Amino acid sequence: MKITNTAWGIVGSRLLGRPFYSRVHVTYRCNYRCQMCAVCGSRDRYAELPAAALATVAERLWALGARHVVLTGGEPFLRRDLPEIVRAFAGHRFSIRIQTNGGPQLTRDALAAVAEAGARDLS
């Protein structure tokens, strides 16, 4: 799926002016306060979209031509409904990468749940 998405993403991007990939901030919460990160100052200003709203985002991004998505934050694994969010994007056949800080919230169970939901890349 990733190779196919990449091929179609490049074709759509180059020939049709469509987006190749998208970064979706699923939360601004984070369990760290890194100096280089702008999220720390944003976490109280933005509410999290419910998983159902993010499913609509997935549908619309797919319709626009995006084929890869990076789920980021803050720290995505702080959301208990992250597997549900991943399933929403996987249901549209996105190649999904989750960007994490790798902290204590990143348990084997959490990884297994997002992998089962359709995530294949972690950074």
Side-chain angles (χ1 to χ4, degrees):
M1 178 168 50
K2 189 172 184 177
I3 292 171
T4 303
N5 279 351
T6 299
W8 283 115
I10 290 170
V11 169
S13 176
R14 300 285 187 217
L15 299 179
L16 303 174
R18 293 181 169 193
F20 180 72
Y21 88 101
S22 181
R23 288 173 46 98
V24 177
H25 289 257
V26 297
T27 186
Y28 283 94
R29 290 182 292 137
C30 188
N31 50 334
Y32 294 137
R33 300 291 175 258
C34 304
Q35 296 276 328
M36 55 69 162
C37 185
V39 170
C40 186
S42 303
R43 65 187 174 97
D44 295 326
R45 290 188 290 182
Y46 302 106
E48 293 176 352
L49 287 175
L54 288 166
T56 301
V57 170
E59 180 180 333
R60 291 179 180 175
L61 286 172
W62 186 263
L64 286 172
R67 296 298 180 252
H68 297 273
V69 66
V70 177
L71 301 178
T72 188
E75 173 50 51
F77 281 93
L78 292 178
R79 285 197 65 152
R80 294 183 191 272
D81 60 352
L82 185 59
E84 182 181 348
I85 295 165
V86 168
R87 263 191 297 283
F89 283 90
H92 290 285
R93 300 183 314 274
F94 274 92
S95 296
I96 302 162
R97 172 174 287 163
I98 301 174
Q99 191 172 32
T100 179
N101 63 28
Q105 72 286 345
L106 194 61
T107 64
R108 286 185 188 271
D109 289 343
L111 285 171
V114 296
E116 183 180 314
R120 296 295 177 258
D121 291 323
L122 195 66
S123 67

